[in-house]
Amino acid sequence: MTPTRVHQSLTSMTEQLFHTAAAPFEAALRVPVLPPGHRAARLHGHSYRARVRAALPVGWAPGGSGADDGFVGGETDALRSALTAAVAPLDCADLNDQLPTPTDENLARWVHRRLAAAGVPGIATVGIRSTADTGADLAPDGHAHLWHRFRFEAAHRLPRVPEGHPCGRMHGHGFEVILHVDQDLAGADMGIDFDRIAALWAPLQAELDLACLNDIPGLDNPTSELLCAWLWERLKPELPALSWVTVYETVTAGCHFDGQHYRIWKELRFESALRLEQAPDGDGRRRLHGHSFVLRLHLSAPLDAVLGWTVDYGDVKALFKPVYERLDHRRLDTLTGPAGADPAGLVRWIRDESAGDLPWLERIDLQQTPGCGVILCWGELGPALPA
């Protein structure tokens, strides 16, 4: 049994396309606004990752006016170059020399100003990941999206799936949960302290870790969706700024919940070759080359009242398989139909080829290199979460 398929007309969609880029830097810092004795008030360091999401004009590239300055398909690489240049003064530096209070939020503001001054148009968010489990994404309107990741190890089974379904057997996962907090900082140095989020999570960690989820009241059918909702109900009263709860059931599948909407995703990887014929003469991208692509399909559907999920992750993979087989270990610029083998052309081709079998699909993320690629969204939720 699956949710009712609601056909979405591709011609009536409000499409949004964002290019994404990421750049690392290593830095030391102190955060003087924290209470005396707080560990982050001492000199310490992080392996940071900055990221940006921008709605770029087709063929955009910074600087110059010649024909070789930009081309269709070169936008992602140009954005990555701009971000790398923007964060260069921060690499192997004392951040307090650049700004007095180097919180993630203030660093995002600093990077945003640098990108804007460099002429990067259409900036939607600038993010700073200070650790593998914490970070902040800042929008131009001043809203800060903070996130904190946690992990627990647990067993579960789904008692309502059809007979023979592997999830009906008792098994387990290393679950990961990301708590997202959205707030208007109004220029403040920082939002909710990550320690506050961790303190609210602690009792849930104690209840979930090294447990069988089916034995916990309210989780007799512990799908990703119902686990998201269970966590939301317990955290939202204590954390009013909570905006999304994310559950990774595996490293390639999970669910987001914002109190009303469920959005699941399935991640796949494919290894492919291509050449960008529109690149200028002498540009390496004009030669035959390749990438290890990361593809994330986001789908929204009503919750099945019996099964407790929206769409079976296995069904998503099976329904997408005919398209996947045309992508993996193939030469992408020989595909029939796409506007081009660049990331924007590929995601539009994937959307069009998948629409018939995956009518719940509403967003596609595609990375050609780590952190760098595009997001195409057209559903009700739009780009509701960071890249």
Side-chain angles (χ1 to χ4, degrees):
M1 182 175 181
T2 58
T4 302
R5 296 189 176 193
V6 180
H7 177 68
Q8 295 180 330
S9 170
L10 295 181
T11 58
S12 64
M13 292 175 184
T14 303
E15 177 184 291
Q16 295 178 280
L17 178 74
F18 298 93
H19 289 268
T20 65
F25 62 95
E26 307 283 333
L29 75 155
R30 307 171 193 81
V31 183
V33 296
L34 292 171
H38 193 288
R39 64 191 185 283
R42 303 192 299 263
L43 182 64
H44 63 289
H46 290 301
S47 295
Y48 286 92
R49 192 184 198 200
R51 59 187 182 185
V52 59
R53 182 171 68 192
L56 299 175
V58 175
W60 172 82
S65 58
D68 290 350
D69 290 332
F71 63 92
V72 176
E75 301 88 355
T76 296
D77 290 334
L79 184 62
R80 179 178 56 187
S81 295
L83 180 60
T84 300
V87 302
L90 305 178
D91 193 34
C92 296
D94 183 337
L95 298 182
N96 297 84
D97 292 340
Q98 295 288 346
L99 60 169
T101 308
T103 60
D104 289 358
E105 297 89 334
N106 278 339
L107 283 167
R109 292 187 180 104
W110 189 92
V111 174
H112 185 283
R113 289 194 295 269
R114 296 265 299 178
L115 289 171
V120 176
I123 299 173
T125 60
V126 174
I128 295 292
R129 189 190 73 182
S130 50
T131 75
D133 295 325
T134 58
D137 293 89
L138 201 68
D141 65 1
H143 270 258
H145 177 105
L146 275 65
W147 56 272
H148 200 325
R149 184 195 313 262
F150 305 93
R151 181 182 175 94
F152 65 92
E153 312 292 326
H156 78 155
R157 62 179 293 269
L158 304 185
R160 302 178 187 177
V161 296
E163 185 176 354
H165 194 291
C167 291
R169 302 191 293 267
M170 184 60 71
H171 60 291
H173 298 290
F175 290 89
E176 291 191 355
V177 172
I178 302 178
L179 304 182
H180 306 258
V181 176
D182 185 73
Q183 53 196 316
D184 186 353
L185 290 185
D189 290 321
M190 64 185 298
I192 294 173
D193 189 351
F194 292 124
D195 288 351
R196 167 65 175 158
I197 300 174
L200 291 172
W201 171 256
L204 296 172
Q205 175 78 17
E207 188 172 6
L208 296 168
D209 191 40
L210 303 179
C212 176
L213 300 185
N214 302 74
D215 296 338
I216 296 174
L219 287 178
D220 58 296
N221 183 29
T223 63
S224 295
E225 290 90 335
L226 294 181
L227 179 54
C228 275
W230 186 89
L231 292 169
W232 177 275
E233 290 170 1
R234 282 150 183 78
L235 287 164
K236 184 67 173 178
E238 300 296 323
L239 188 61
L242 184 69
S243 54
W244 289 84
V245 171
T246 296
V247 169
Y248 280 74
E249 184 168 298
T250 69
V251 294
T252 64
C255 178
H256 306 295
F257 181 61
D258 68 351
Q260 292 184 313
H261 307 96
Y262 296 94
R263 173 188 264 172
I264 68 163
W265 80 86
K266 179 64 180 173
E267 185 172 291
L268 305 111
R269 295 168 184 258
F270 58 93
E271 314 292 328
S272 303
L274 71 153
R275 61 187 299 264
L276 298 182
E277 296 182 358
Q278 64 271 36
D281 290 338
D283 190 304
R285 290 164 291 186
R286 193 177 176 90
R287 298 194 300 266
L288 186 63
H289 60 287
H291 295 297
S292 295
F293 289 90
V294 178
L295 173 69
R296 184 171 285 197
L297 306 173
H298 299 258
L299 308 94
S300 290
L303 191 71
D304 187 299
V306 174
L307 294 175
W309 64 32
T310 52
V311 187
D312 185 350
Y313 299 129
D315 287 348
V316 175
K317 185 176 181 179
L319 291 168
F320 187 70
K321 185 177 180 180
V323 177
Y324 178 80
E325 290 182 341
R326 296 170 67 187
L327 295 167
D328 185 43
H329 286 74
R330 303 284 185 175
R331 181 169 169 173
L332 301 180
D333 53 309
T334 63
L335 287 170
T336 301
D342 61 283
L346 283 170
V347 290
R348 290 190 172 105
W349 182 86
I350 292 168
R351 179 196 61 190
D352 294 347
E353 294 297 312
S354 306
D357 289 325
L358 291 173
W360 319 278
L361 189 63
E362 65 167 20
R363 170 176 160 175
I364 301 172
D365 301 357
L366 181 67
Q367 295 182 15
Q368 59 186 11
T369 58
C372 302
V374 295
I375 296 171
L376 180 70
C377 49
W378 60 90
E380 176 188 356
L381 298 181
L385 293 171

